[in-house]
Amino acid sequence: DNPNSEQAEMETFVLRRTLKTLEAVQGAGTTLVSVYVPGTLSQLALMSSKIQNEMGVASNIKSTQTRQRVREALNSILHHLKSLKRIDPKGLALFCGVDTAQDGKRVMKAIVPPKALSSPLYWCDSEFQLKALHDMVNTDENESIGFAVVSGEGTYFAALSASGTIEALKTTSVRLPKKHSKGGQSAPRFQRQRI
């Protein structure tokens, strides 16, 4: 038994339970905020800036209760992001809002995903945006899609795994003769050489 494997299984189990808890959270309107930050300090700074801008945009929400809940969620997320001195290379997922099914209980959850996040996300809705984390937990590492890229210079064969990594399988290059601008009586000779 591999201790790293057991630890990974335990982390997956805990993440599944956490996701189930977050799925049960219900928000009124678009008061639940989901934020995904890829694992670089520059992405962290960009997301902090985005959240700061969204706090200004949130002041335009007509419903007083919705505006207050969105601003509180954004403020909590921004405070958490600004308190970070470093970020895990896999990134960070943050979920914040008020659960209307639990008598207005405030929810704030920070999750380090099991695999690296490839792109940032900011989302406000009546439920948390959990698809990316579900995909990470529920994917089979052996699943992959093959693809080929063909151009005038060659071909590239690769496989895209469920985790999002690209594995180059084979690359070939082709040397095609250039088109010739000579014409007239030499045209048939150039055509024979090309074939």
Side-chain angles (χ1 to χ4, degrees):
D1 290 295
N2 186 352
N4 289 338
S5 174
E6 288 177 12
Q7 183 180 357
E9 286 179 28
M10 186 62 173
E11 288 173 0
T12 301
F13 173 77
V14 170
L15 180 56
R16 281 192 175 124
R17 294 210 43 194
T18 303
L19 292 177
K20 196 172 242 183
T21 304
L22 290 173
E23 280 176 347
V25 175
Q26 298 173 353
T30 58
T31 59
L32 299 182
V33 180
S34 305
V35 173
Y36 291 114
V37 184
T40 63
L41 287 175
S42 62
Q43 286 290 338
L44 183 65
L46 285 171
M47 187 54 75
S48 294
S49 175
K50 169 102 175 133
I51 299 296
Q52 189 75 43
N53 290 340
E54 290 297 324
M55 285 186 68
V57 173
S59 64
N60 297 329
I61 297 172
K62 291 181 179 145
S63 166
T64 307
Q65 187 177 27
T66 303
R67 178 182 40 218
Q68 182 181 356
R69 286 180 174 174
V70 169
R71 288 181 63 98
E72 285 174 1
L74 290 173
N75 196 28
S76 295
I77 289 173
L78 185 63
H79 180 73
H80 187 86
L81 290 176
K82 287 191 173 191
S83 71
L84 296 175
K85 300 289 183 236
R86 63 174 199 77
I87 187 167
D88 191 282
K90 293 185 264 183
L92 182 66
L94 295 164
F95 304 96
C96 191
V98 173
D99 188 356
T100 55
Q102 295 286 326
D103 298 327
K105 180 183 171 193
R106 192 165 161 271
V107 176
M108 174 68 179
K109 193 70 181 166
I111 299 172
V112 174
K115 299 173 188 158
L117 292 170
S118 57
S119 59
L121 173 78
Y122 163 77
W123 196 266
C124 288
D125 205 343
S126 59
E127 56 190 32
F128 290 124
Q129 184 70 7
L130 303 169
K131 185 180 180 339
L133 292 175
H134 274 298
D135 289 349
M136 288 180 190
V137 172
N138 297 327
T139 57
D140 181 6
E141 287 296 323
N142 297 326
E143 284 185 31
S144 61
I145 298 171
F147 62 93
V149 178
V150 180
S151 72
E153 296 177 5
T155 56
Y156 177 73
F157 298 95
L160 175 64
S161 72
S163 63
T165 57
I166 297 174
E167 178 187 354
L169 301 174
K170 185 175 183 180
T171 304
T172 61
S173 59
V174 176
R175 200 177 77 95
L176 295 174
K178 302 286 184 216
K179 289 186 177 181
H180 208 282
S181 62
K182 303 277 193 256
Q185 294 176 340
S186 300
R189 181 171 55 91
F190 286 118
Q191 187 63 32
R192 282 192 305 274
Q193 287 178 350
R194 184 169 168 94
I195 296 175

